[in-house]
Each structure stands twice: as structure tokens, then as C-alpha cells.
Amino acid sequence: MTETRYLTFALAKGRLAIKTLELLENMGISCEEMKDKATRKLIFVNEERRLKFFLAKGPDVPTYVEYGAADIGVAGNDTILEEDRNVYEVLDLGFGKCRMCVCGPESARELLLHHERIRVASKYPNIAKDYFYNKKHQTVDIIKLNGSVELGPLVGLSEVIVDIVETGSTLRENGLEVLEEVCPLSARMIVNPVSLQMERARIQEIVMGFRGILHQRFLQ
Ligand code: PRP
């Protein structure tokens, strides 16, 4: 008899992975090895359910899933949109909620209103480009940064930024404001298209399990 093949999960390191593992535990799927904080292991196995898990940098999760190195991934839709990989988004997990916004000093509101050719700094150049070019039909210059994007308008690199706003405290502490909302963000489950064909029943069972737990929580 051939053994059931492993289904592999790629989880975005940090809060999203912690939350996802917590939901899996609620579904009766645990991975004891992953709880050992001192471990240097990279791949964790649940032998009984024939599941494998690994943690990756958020933006790499869609890459692992597109190439089939992971069947299932969990990442924020900020990285999923930015990477634009060939994957199916099958579930909004509803946690990790925040917003992608155009932010800047109040004085930049005018520039947006009049469709001025401004500079936009962002860790998400593709999302920024899609928003300004395709949705707003405004020609802008996009400057890619790798973090602390709020510095852009503060030091004169750009007029505005496109960035994640969660509590809004980074903006407040730096005298910046939300000027426009690009899209809401949350953790999403993505699946490799071939895996979905080949392992439909098992993947569906996992998706339904997540749905059930999320629904129960919503009712509590
Ligand atoms: C993110 C984001 C904002 C901040 C928003 O940055 O880029 O800077 O969090 O959160 P808030 O609205 O709750 O203040 P992150 O901490 O990931 O670091 P980074 O700036 O280096 O990307």
C-alpha cells in the first residue's frame, strides 16, 4: 500500500504563524516539535496526519506555494498582492487585520486631490503602482524602501507613502495621517493550483476545519 503523501504548510513567521498554529490545535492538529522554543529545526512533522509545517519570511510564502514546495500557505494579503504569484486564495482567516493606506502630512492631501506627479515611497511598489496607475489614473514616481517607510515624507524623500496601518500610532507619533485607503488586509490561506486538484479532499477538509473554528469564535 502506498503511503499518503505529506501536505506541506508554509507559514509566515511571527504572529500569523502563532495564530494559525493555535487554530490548528483547536482543530485537533498539533505539532509538538514546534513548541520547543530552543529548536533549530526548520521543518516540523505531524506524522499521524501526514502534515509538514515550515516557517518562512512572509513575502516568501507565496513563492513556496506557487512552486509547489508548500501545498498550503498562510500570509497577509499585503504580501500576496505584492508578490502576485500563481496561487489560489481560498480563505480569509480574519486575523492580522490592518489596512494598506496612502499616508503623509495633511499638506499632501491637496497633491493627491489634484493628481500631481508626486513621489511615493513604499515597501509595496506593486500595490502602490496598481493603486495609483490603475485605480486612480495618477502618474507618480514610486520609490522602493525596505522598512521604516514613514521616514519618506519626514526627510523629504517622498510626498506620501503606501504602507500598513494597524493601530495608527507610528503615524501619530510622526505627525502623519491616513490620506486614502488602498485596501483592507488580513491573513489569507493560499493553495497551490496543482495541489488543489490532486489533494482536493484533504485540502477541503482543512479549509472546512478552519471555517468551523473561525465561525465558532465569531459566535462566542
Ligand atoms: C509596520 C508598518 C508601519 C507600522 C504600522 O512596520 O510598516 O510602520 O507597522 O503599525 P501601527 O499602525 O500599529 O503603528 P513594521 O513594524 O513591520 O516595521 P517596518 O517599518 O520596518 O516595516
PDB file of all heavy atoms in Angstrom, residues 99-120:
ATOM      1  N   ARG A  99      -4.786  47.813   7.565  1.00  0.00           N
ATOM      2  CA  ARG A  99      -5.171  48.461   6.298  1.00  0.00           C
ATOM      3  C   ARG A  99      -3.931  48.894   5.529  1.00  0.00           C
ATOM      4  O   ARG A  99      -2.958  49.330   6.134  1.00  0.00           O
ATOM      5  CB  ARG A  99      -6.007  49.718   6.580  1.00  0.00           C
ATOM      6  CG  ARG A  99      -7.286  49.466   7.308  1.00  0.00           C
ATOM      7  CD  ARG A  99      -8.061  50.761   7.512  1.00  0.00           C
ATOM      8  NE  ARG A  99      -7.393  51.701   8.409  1.00  0.00           N
ATOM      9  CZ  ARG A  99      -7.599  53.002   8.426  1.00  0.00           C
ATOM     10  NH1 ARG A  99      -8.423  53.569   7.566  1.00  0.00           N
ATOM     11  NH2 ARG A  99      -6.970  53.781   9.277  1.00  0.00           N
ATOM     12  N   MET A 100      -4.011  48.811   4.221  1.00  0.00           N
ATOM     13  CA  MET A 100      -2.963  49.395   3.375  1.00  0.00           C
ATOM     14  C   MET A 100      -3.454  50.795   3.026  1.00  0.00           C
ATOM     15  O   MET A 100      -4.584  50.946   2.529  1.00  0.00           O
ATOM     16  CB  MET A 100      -2.793  48.550   2.104  1.00  0.00           C
ATOM     17  CG  MET A 100      -1.668  48.987   1.206  1.00  0.00           C
ATOM     18  SD  MET A 100      -0.026  48.757   1.943  1.00  0.00           S
ATOM     19  CE  MET A 100       0.193  46.997   1.854  1.00  0.00           C
ATOM     20  N   CYS A 101      -2.638  51.800   3.334  1.00  0.00           N
ATOM     21  CA  CYS A 101      -3.104  53.181   3.152  1.00  0.00           C
ATOM     22  C   CYS A 101      -2.057  54.062   2.483  1.00  0.00           C
ATOM     23  O   CYS A 101      -0.854  53.784   2.558  1.00  0.00           O
ATOM     24  CB  CYS A 101      -3.422  53.809   4.513  1.00  0.00           C
ATOM     25  SG  CYS A 101      -4.751  52.991   5.392  1.00  0.00           S
ATOM     26  N   VAL A 102      -2.549  55.129   1.873  1.00  0.00           N
ATOM     27  CA  VAL A 102      -1.669  56.213   1.433  1.00  0.00           C
ATOM     28  C   VAL A 102      -1.615  57.169   2.618  1.00  0.00           C
ATOM     29  O   VAL A 102      -2.654  57.600   3.122  1.00  0.00           O
ATOM     30  CB  VAL A 102      -2.235  56.954   0.202  1.00  0.00           C
ATOM     31  CG1 VAL A 102      -1.287  58.083  -0.218  1.00  0.00           C
ATOM     32  CG2 VAL A 102      -2.491  55.993  -0.949  1.00  0.00           C
ATOM     33  N   CYS A 103      -0.408  57.450   3.098  1.00  0.00           N
ATOM     34  CA  CYS A 103      -0.259  58.306   4.279  1.00  0.00           C
ATOM     35  C   CYS A 103       0.741  59.415   3.984  1.00  0.00           C
ATOM     36  O   CYS A 103       1.592  59.277   3.102  1.00  0.00           O
ATOM     37  CB  CYS A 103       0.267  57.503   5.466  1.00  0.00           C
ATOM     38  SG  CYS A 103      -0.617  55.975   5.749  1.00  0.00           S
ATOM     39  N   GLY A 104       0.625  60.466   4.757  1.00  0.00           N
ATOM     40  CA  GLY A 104       1.563  61.580   4.586  1.00  0.00           C
ATOM     41  C   GLY A 104       1.150  62.717   5.488  1.00  0.00           C
ATOM     42  O   GLY A 104       0.208  62.584   6.280  1.00  0.00           O
ATOM     43  N   PRO A 105       1.786  63.860   5.361  1.00  0.00           N
ATOM     44  CA  PRO A 105       1.346  65.021   6.127  1.00  0.00           C
ATOM     45  C   PRO A 105       0.039  65.544   5.543  1.00  0.00           C
ATOM     46  O   PRO A 105      -0.252  65.318   4.358  1.00  0.00           O
ATOM     47  CB  PRO A 105       2.490  66.032   5.918  1.00  0.00           C
ATOM     48  CG  PRO A 105       3.125  65.621   4.638  1.00  0.00           C
ATOM     49  CD  PRO A 105       2.951  64.140   4.516  1.00  0.00           C
ATOM     50  N   GLU A 106      -0.743  66.224   6.356  1.00  0.00           N
ATOM     51  CA  GLU A 106      -2.028  66.773   5.904  1.00  0.00           C
ATOM     52  C   GLU A 106      -1.856  67.593   4.612  1.00  0.00           C
ATOM     53  O   GLU A 106      -2.698  67.563   3.725  1.00  0.00           O
ATOM     54  CB  GLU A 106      -2.614  67.635   7.043  1.00  0.00           C
ATOM     55  CG  GLU A 106      -3.931  68.310   6.755  1.00  0.00           C
ATOM     56  CD  GLU A 106      -5.052  67.351   6.345  1.00  0.00           C
ATOM     57  OE1 GLU A 106      -5.107  66.233   6.913  1.00  0.00           O
ATOM     58  OE2 GLU A 106      -5.849  67.721   5.447  1.00  0.00           O
ATOM     59  N   SER A 107      -0.707  68.274   4.502  1.00  0.00           N
ATOM     60  CA  SER A 107      -0.457  69.138   3.337  1.00  0.00           C
ATOM     61  C   SER A 107      -0.410  68.351   2.019  1.00  0.00           C
ATOM     62  O   SER A 107      -0.574  68.941   0.941  1.00  0.00           O
ATOM     63  CB  SER A 107       0.859  69.888   3.534  1.00  0.00           C
ATOM     64  OG  SER A 107       1.910  68.958   3.713  1.00  0.00           O
ATOM     65  N   ALA A 108      -0.206  67.051   2.103  1.00  0.00           N
ATOM     66  CA  ALA A 108      -0.111  66.261   0.860  1.00  0.00           C
ATOM     67  C   ALA A 108      -1.482  65.918   0.289  1.00  0.00           C
ATOM     68  O   ALA A 108      -1.596  65.449  -0.844  1.00  0.00           O
ATOM     69  CB  ALA A 108       0.687  64.989   1.123  1.00  0.00           C
ATOM     70  N   ARG A 109      -2.545  66.167   1.082  1.00  0.00           N
ATOM     71  CA  ARG A 109      -3.905  65.838   0.620  1.00  0.00           C
ATOM     72  C   ARG A 109      -4.232  66.555  -0.702  1.00  0.00           C
ATOM     73  O   ARG A 109      -4.782  65.964  -1.623  1.00  0.00           O
ATOM     74  CB  ARG A 109      -4.913  66.239   1.701  1.00  0.00           C
ATOM     75  CG  ARG A 109      -6.205  65.463   1.647  1.00  0.00           C
ATOM     76  CD  ARG A 109      -7.129  65.881   2.755  1.00  0.00           C
ATOM     77  NE  ARG A 109      -6.773  65.370   4.065  1.00  0.00           N
ATOM     78  CZ  ARG A 109      -7.052  64.140   4.497  1.00  0.00           C
ATOM     79  NH1 ARG A 109      -7.683  63.294   3.721  1.00  0.00           N
ATOM     80  NH2 ARG A 109      -6.693  63.747   5.706  1.00  0.00           N
ATOM     81  N   GLU A 110      -3.850  67.818  -0.769  1.00  0.00           N
ATOM     82  CA  GLU A 110      -4.049  68.652  -1.971  1.00  0.00           C
ATOM     83  C   GLU A 110      -3.402  68.004  -3.193  1.00  0.00           C
ATOM     84  O   GLU A 110      -3.980  67.981  -4.270  1.00  0.00           O
ATOM     85  CB  GLU A 110      -3.321  69.997  -1.782  1.00  0.00           C
ATOM     86  CG  GLU A 110      -4.044  71.183  -1.164  1.00  0.00           C
ATOM     87  CD  GLU A 110      -5.307  71.615  -1.854  1.00  0.00           C
ATOM     88  OE1 GLU A 110      -6.371  71.047  -1.546  1.00  0.00           O
ATOM     89  OE2 GLU A 110      -5.226  72.533  -2.684  1.00  0.00           O
ATOM     90  N   LEU A 111      -2.158  67.527  -2.995  1.00  0.00           N
ATOM     91  CA  LEU A 111      -1.381  66.961  -4.104  1.00  0.00           C
ATOM     92  C   LEU A 111      -2.079  65.728  -4.670  1.00  0.00           C
ATOM     93  O   LEU A 111      -2.059  65.474  -5.875  1.00  0.00           O
ATOM     94  CB  LEU A 111       0.036  66.596  -3.637  1.00  0.00           C
ATOM     95  CG  LEU A 111       0.849  67.710  -2.983  1.00  0.00           C
ATOM     96  CD1 LEU A 111       2.153  67.166  -2.426  1.00  0.00           C
ATOM     97  CD2 LEU A 111       1.148  68.811  -4.021  1.00  0.00           C
ATOM     98  N   LEU A 112      -2.693  64.963  -3.766  1.00  0.00           N
ATOM     99  CA  LEU A 112      -3.419  63.766  -4.206  1.00  0.00           C
ATOM    100  C   LEU A 112      -4.679  64.172  -4.952  1.00  0.00           C
ATOM    101  O   LEU A 112      -5.003  63.610  -5.996  1.00  0.00           O
ATOM    102  CB  LEU A 112      -3.797  62.903  -2.995  1.00  0.00           C
ATOM    103  CG  LEU A 112      -2.650  62.201  -2.274  1.00  0.00           C
ATOM    104  CD1 LEU A 112      -3.129  61.602  -0.961  1.00  0.00           C
ATOM    105  CD2 LEU A 112      -2.041  61.107  -3.146  1.00  0.00           C
ATOM    106  N   LEU A 113      -5.328  65.163  -4.405  1.00  0.00           N
ATOM    107  CA  LEU A 113      -6.584  65.645  -4.973  1.00  0.00           C
ATOM    108  C   LEU A 113      -6.377  66.154  -6.404  1.00  0.00           C
ATOM    109  O   LEU A 113      -7.200  65.921  -7.290  1.00  0.00           O
ATOM    110  CB  LEU A 113      -7.099  66.782  -4.079  1.00  0.00           C
ATOM    111  CG  LEU A 113      -8.591  66.955  -3.972  1.00  0.00           C
ATOM    112  CD1 LEU A 113      -9.219  65.721  -3.333  1.00  0.00           C
ATOM    113  CD2 LEU A 113      -8.907  68.194  -3.121  1.00  0.00           C
ATOM    114  N   HIS A 114      -5.273  66.844  -6.629  1.00  0.00           N
ATOM    115  CA  HIS A 114      -5.030  67.436  -7.943  1.00  0.00           C
ATOM    116  C   HIS A 114      -4.199  66.545  -8.864  1.00  0.00           C
ATOM    117  O   HIS A 114      -3.710  67.002  -9.891  1.00  0.00           O
ATOM    118  CB  HIS A 114      -4.378  68.824  -7.778  1.00  0.00           C
ATOM    119  CG  HIS A 114      -5.282  69.796  -7.092  1.00  0.00           C
ATOM    120  ND1 HIS A 114      -4.951  70.404  -5.916  1.00  0.00           N
ATOM    121  CD2 HIS A 114      -6.539  70.208  -7.395  1.00  0.00           C
ATOM    122  CE1 HIS A 114      -5.957  71.174  -5.529  1.00  0.00           C
ATOM    123  NE2 HIS A 114      -6.933  71.064  -6.408  1.00  0.00           N
ATOM    124  N   HIS A 115      -4.048  65.282  -8.459  1.00  0.00           N
ATOM    125  CA  HIS A 115      -3.313  64.323  -9.294  1.00  0.00           C
ATOM    126  C   HIS A 115      -1.927  64.830  -9.696  1.00  0.00           C
ATOM    127  O   HIS A 115      -1.512  64.701 -10.848  1.00  0.00           O
ATOM    128  CB  HIS A 115      -4.125  63.938 -10.538  1.00  0.00           C
ATOM    129  CG  HIS A 115      -5.184  62.922 -10.228  1.00  0.00           C
ATOM    130  ND1 HIS A 115      -6.148  63.134  -9.276  1.00  0.00           N
ATOM    131  CD2 HIS A 115      -5.403  61.680 -10.706  1.00  0.00           C
ATOM    132  CE1 HIS A 115      -6.933  62.071  -9.209  1.00  0.00           C
ATOM    133  NE2 HIS A 115      -6.497  61.167 -10.054  1.00  0.00           N
ATOM    134  N   GLU A 116      -1.258  65.445  -8.743  1.00  0.00           N
ATOM    135  CA  GLU A 116       0.097  65.960  -9.027  1.00  0.00           C
ATOM    136  C   GLU A 116       1.062  64.775  -9.199  1.00  0.00           C
ATOM    137  O   GLU A 116       0.847  63.710  -8.629  1.00  0.00           O
ATOM    138  CB  GLU A 116       0.597  66.796  -7.834  1.00  0.00           C
ATOM    139  CG  GLU A 116      -0.261  67.983  -7.491  1.00  0.00           C
ATOM    140  CD  GLU A 116       0.145  69.243  -8.243  1.00  0.00           C
ATOM    141  OE1 GLU A 116       1.181  69.214  -8.919  1.00  0.00           O
ATOM    142  OE2 GLU A 116      -0.601  70.228  -8.137  1.00  0.00           O
ATOM    143  N   ARG A 117       2.125  64.997  -9.944  1.00  0.00           N
ATOM    144  CA  ARG A 117       3.131  63.949 -10.091  1.00  0.00           C
ATOM    145  C   ARG A 117       4.007  63.973  -8.839  1.00  0.00           C
ATOM    146  O   ARG A 117       4.944  64.780  -8.731  1.00  0.00           O
ATOM    147  CB  ARG A 117       3.966  64.171 -11.346  1.00  0.00           C
ATOM    148  CG  ARG A 117       5.014  63.084 -11.491  1.00  0.00           C
ATOM    149  CD  ARG A 117       5.532  62.960 -12.873  1.00  0.00           C
ATOM    150  NE  ARG A 117       6.436  61.828 -12.956  1.00  0.00           N
ATOM    151  CZ  ARG A 117       6.704  61.208 -14.068  1.00  0.00           C
ATOM    152  NH1 ARG A 117       6.144  61.594 -15.187  1.00  0.00           N
ATOM    153  NH2 ARG A 117       7.540  60.186 -14.076  1.00  0.00           N
ATOM    154  N   ILE A 118       3.685  63.107  -7.886  1.00  0.00           N
ATOM    155  CA  ILE A 118       4.396  63.107  -6.604  1.00  0.00           C
ATOM    156  C   ILE A 118       5.264  61.857  -6.466  1.00  0.00           C
ATOM    157  O   ILE A 118       5.148  60.924  -7.274  1.00  0.00           O
ATOM    158  CB  ILE A 118       3.400  63.159  -5.417  1.00  0.00           C
ATOM    159  CG1 ILE A 118       2.338  62.067  -5.586  1.00  0.00           C
ATOM    160  CG2 ILE A 118       2.791  64.536  -5.290  1.00  0.00           C
ATOM    161  CD1 ILE A 118       1.417  61.927  -4.411  1.00  0.00           C
ATOM    162  N   ARG A 119       6.100  61.858  -5.417  1.00  0.00           N
ATOM    163  CA  ARG A 119       6.909  60.672  -5.137  1.00  0.00           C
ATOM    164  C   ARG A 119       6.248  59.876  -4.012  1.00  0.00           C
ATOM    165  O   ARG A 119       5.817  60.455  -3.012  1.00  0.00           O
ATOM    166  CB  ARG A 119       8.334  61.076  -4.777  1.00  0.00           C
ATOM    167  CG  ARG A 119       9.087  61.524  -6.019  1.00  0.00           C
ATOM    168  CD  ARG A 119      10.543  61.679  -5.768  1.00  0.00           C
ATOM    169  NE  ARG A 119      10.781  62.818  -4.883  1.00  0.00           N
ATOM    170  CZ  ARG A 119      11.951  63.400  -4.735  1.00  0.00           C
ATOM    171  NH1 ARG A 119      13.006  62.957  -5.391  1.00  0.00           N
ATOM    172  NH2 ARG A 119      12.094  64.415  -3.916  1.00  0.00           N
ATOM    173  N   VAL A 120       6.184  58.569  -4.217  1.00  0.00           N
ATOM    174  CA  VAL A 120       5.513  57.670  -3.278  1.00  0.00           C
ATOM    175  C   VAL A 120       6.530  56.630  -2.820  1.00  0.00           C
ATOM    176  O   VAL A 120       7.046  55.869  -3.632  1.00  0.00           O
ATOM    177  CB  VAL A 120       4.332  56.939  -3.982  1.00  0.00           C
ATOM    178  CG1 VAL A 120       3.629  55.997  -3.013  1.00  0.00           C
ATOM    179  CG2 VAL A 120       3.360  57.930  -4.609  1.00  0.00           C
TER     180      VAL A 120
END
